[in-house]
Amino acid sequence: MEDKGRIESQILKLQEKYKDSGQDISSYLDGLLYQRYLTYWDYIHLDTLLSLQVPRTHFPDEEIFIMYHQITELYFKLILHEEKQIVDDKSQKESFFIEKLNRINNYYKALISSFSIMIRGMEREQFLQYRMALLPASGFQSAQYRMIELYATPLENLVHVSEEGKYTENDSIETLYEKIYWKKGATDLRTGEKTLTLKQFEYRYTPRFIRTAKQLEKNTIYHKYLDMPEKSRHNKALIDALKVMDINANINWPLMHLGSAHRYLNQDNTSIEATGGTNWKEYLPPSFQHVVFFPNLYSKDELSNWGKEWVDHHFNPEKSKN
Ligand code: HEM
């Protein structure tokens, strides 16, 4: 009896809903009657997902390489999903900001701890061979990696340190974009010319990156923080969460990634060939890139030692204790 009353009231609510948009509820009820039950595999498009791992060689470890890149791109998408919510939020509530940053940091934690799948999880010999069939493609061409940066901070903070003093506050987004740090990477070690990897990436994504940077002008995560009332800006949990994100994105992940480049590419001449002969050894270390999303949160010393602590920790343990 109680059930009947509940169903009647639900039908009345549905009737209201469909009437408001000029729809006929009876047709929708028929649709419900004939519809198949939803299954797990349809809901998450499992068959499609599992059909996306298509190796280009017969080396079994290539599948690990493909899948781990795909997993990483999905995590990048999760990070962007949270970044977009911070940027779109009008409430300026500290708790909302912190919650989203903590999620982002959780995703980075998963990415950083799982990187051993790359560093230790493939045979080096296989890698050096199948990698040749993938040239000139490189994770360098990950657009989501760059989008995460554009959402986090204004272009001024992504300009390479060597360009400091060569631009003014009034320079256009296009001018700043040309000086962005990653244009120093994927460069031919011998000639200093841009590789095809970099040229293709610029050709495909420059319009999208410029458009995004313009949309986000004065509205990145860093701006959101700086625009908060003073009391909120001093919230320790918020400052800590921002710093953890900065260090995860610009030191911890890049160092794990660098570890895999060293493991696979850092030996004889074949190693150089396997990257297409790029300047990765100079370019990839965080202390070279010196990207800091939220520079106001650090002291001068912290900024000048950005990314160096790890090197001391591993190579000068005495120094890192001080
Ligand atoms: C064995 C594993 C890996 C090796 C040896 C490797 C190697 C490299 C190298 C040498 C570069 C520098 C660009 C170049 O010279 O072509 C690079 C850049 C990059 N790779 Fe990887 N990579 C590996 C795994 C991954 C994975 C799993 C991802 C995830 C998407 C990834 C994403 C990137 C990104 C985003 C960059 C640009 C980094 C920056 O600009 O600072 N890589 N990689």
Side-chain angles (χ1 to χ4, degrees):
M1 199 55 196
E2 217 174 72
D3 257 8
K4 207 174 153 211
R6 198 159 151 246
I7 290 168
E8 271 169 12
S9 118
Q10 283 171 319
I11 290 183
L12 283 175
K13 281 190 198 149
L14 279 172
Q15 219 161 11
E16 278 304 300
K17 171 183 163 176
Y18 287 109
K19 208 169 76 195
D20 283 350
S21 47
Q23 304 287 297
D24 171 28
I25 185 187
S26 165
S27 310
Y28 280 90
L29 288 176
D30 271 344
L32 204 56
L33 193 63
Y34 303 134
Q35 214 174 69
R36 277 190 295 115
Y37 286 116
L38 183 63
T39 58
Y40 167 77
W41 53 89
D42 281 341
Y43 181 58
I44 65 153
H45 294 273
L46 189 58
D47 291 343
T48 310
L49 184 65
L50 299 182
S51 72
L52 299 174
Q53 295 71 41
V54 188
R56 290 174 65 99
T57 69
H58 64 269
F59 296 102
D61 285 4
E62 192 194 338
E63 271 200 55
I64 305 171
F65 192 64
I66 296 175
M67 267 187 267
Y68 190 71
H69 277 81
Q70 292 177 337
I71 290 166
T72 305
E73 287 293 342
L74 286 175
Y75 272 107
F76 286 169
K77 191 170 177 185
L78 283 170
I79 292 168
L80 270 166
H81 184 62
E82 299 302 318
E83 285 195 317
K84 284 176 184 168
Q85 292 181 66
I86 297 176
V87 160
D88 290 341
D89 175 53
K90 301 274 178 282
S91 80
Q92 283 209 324
K93 270 208 204 137
E94 294 162 36
S95 55
F96 181 88
F97 208 151
I98 295 168
E99 165 75 31
K100 302 288 158 204
L101 289 168
N102 286 344
R103 288 186 192 180
I104 291 175
N105 287 327
N106 221 5
Y107 303 142
Y108 272 118
K109 195 168 140 196
L111 281 177
I112 291 160
S113 65
S114 64
F115 220 94
S116 53
I117 294 172
M118 288 288 94
I119 302 175
R120 282 188 291 277
M122 300 181 296
E123 270 182 30
R124 188 168 179 272
E125 279 318 300
Q126 287 192 38
F127 175 85
L128 290 177
Q129 293 178 78
Y130 69 71
R131 183 69 184 82
M132 304 312 283
L134 317 181
L135 292 173
S138 165
F140 182 90
Q141 296 173 318
S142 165
Q144 291 203 104
Y145 189 82
R146 312 296 172 198
M147 291 296 251
I148 290 172
E149 300 176 330
L150 293 177
Y151 271 85
T153 198
L155 277 183
E156 292 94 278
N157 293 332
L158 299 174
V159 163
H160 190 252
V161 274
S162 64
E163 302 283 347
E164 258 170 28
K166 295 187 198 161
Y167 64 95
T168 71
E169 270 187 8
N170 300 326
D171 275 342
S172 66
I173 296 244
E174 284 82 355
T175 308
L176 291 175
Y177 176 77
E178 282 314 309
K179 300 180 192 306
I180 205 160
Y181 82 94
W182 52 257
K183 289 187 186 243
K184 308 271 177 214
T187 297
D188 191 294
L189 197 55
R190 278 172 288 259
T191 64
E193 296 282 313
K194 289 181 182 189
T195 57
L196 185 57
T197 311
L198 175 54
K199 285 185 192 158
Q200 284 183 329
F201 184 57
E202 289 179 322
Y203 182 74
R204 164 97 200 263
Y205 289 114
T206 293
R208 189 183 302 181
F209 289 154
I210 299 269
R211 207 169 54 238
T212 306
K214 285 187 175 167
Q215 271 164 11
L216 291 165
E217 206 173 0
K218 304 211 171 20
N219 197 33
T220 63
I221 292 181
Y222 192 33
H223 291 103
K224 282 272 169 189
Y225 168 72
L226 294 175
D227 290 345
M228 287 179 115
E230 194 178 343
K231 191 172 153 278
S232 308
R233 269 186 284 125
H234 288 116
N235 181 322
K236 189 174 176 316
L238 178 58
I239 294 176
D240 285 350
L242 283 164
K243 282 181 158 179
V244 173
M245 177 181 168
D246 215 345
I247 290 163
N248 277 338
N250 295 315
I251 300 181
N252 294 339
W253 188 89
L255 284 173
M256 293 309 282
H257 174 257
L258 182 60
S260 66
H262 274 282
R263 153 88 159 68
Y264 293 98
L265 307 174
N266 192 24
Q267 273 177 22
D268 45 30
N269 281 336
T270 45
S271 65
I272 293 174
E273 275 168 32
T275 71
T278 67
N279 63 339
W280 66 269
K281 271 193 212 170
E282 292 92 74
Y283 166 73
L284 285 179
S287 50
F288 168 83
Q289 299 188 345
H290 214 280
V291 175
V292 185
F293 288 161
F294 316 120
N296 269 20
L297 303 181
Y298 306 94
S299 66
K300 266 195 173 159
D301 255 14
E302 284 174 312
L303 288 176
S304 56
N305 288 321
W306 190 253
K308 287 185 190 146
E309 208 176 289
W310 182 89
V311 176
D312 283 343
H313 180 72
H314 286 265
F315 299 109
N316 301 311
E318 282 311 308
K319 211 171 154 190
S320 75
K321 276 187 209 147
N322 302 327

